[in-house]
Amino acid sequence: MGHGNDDSPALVYSKDSDITHPAPADAFVFCEENMYSIQDGYLEIDSHGGNFPDAPAAYHNNGADFSFADGHVQIHKWANDVIAKQQGGS
C-alpha cells in the first residue's frame, strides 16, 4: 500500500490483501460511469474542487451500482441531482 501521485494522500492498493483501511466492506472497487464520460476505463473525481471530470452514473432512479472489495454490491442513490444534470438528465 502506498500513496498515489494524482490525489495525495489517497491510498493505492496493489493487491487485495492491501485493502485494510477502509475495510473491504467499505472500499468500493467498481462504479458505473456516466455513459457520456466513458473514455479511458477509470472514474475520476476531483475531491478538492467537488467536480466530476469522469462522472459516475445516475441510473436506477438517480443512483449507481457500486461493487465493494468484499464482493457485495449496492445501489447508491444520489442525495441531489448534480450527477444526473452532468450526464444530460433532468
Side-chain angles (χ1 to χ4, degrees):
M1 179 169 42
H3 290 284
N5 294 329
D6 294 328
D7 194 15
S8 186
L11 298 175
V12 176
Y13 304 105
S14 299
K15 54 189 176 186
D16 291 348
S17 61
D18 287 344
I19 304 173
T20 58
H21 184 72
D26 297 322
F28 84 85
V29 178
F30 295 105
C31 165
E32 288 182 285
E33 187 176 346
N34 173 331
M35 67 180 153
Y36 298 112
S37 70
I38 297 173
Q39 80 280 13
D40 52 18
Y42 65 91
L43 178 70
E44 181 182 356
I45 299 170
D46 176 3
S47 60
H48 301 290
N51 195 3
F52 295 98
D54 291 337
Y59 312 129
H60 311 294
N61 200 18
N62 199 33
D65 290 334
F66 285 79
S67 63
F68 292 79
D70 71 345
H72 84 278
V73 176
Q74 287 182 341
I75 294 178
H76 173 80
K77 185 171 169 47
W78 303 111
N80 58 46
D81 63 357
V82 170
I83 301 297
K85 286 181 180 178
Q86 186 160 346
Q87 74 179 31
S90 56

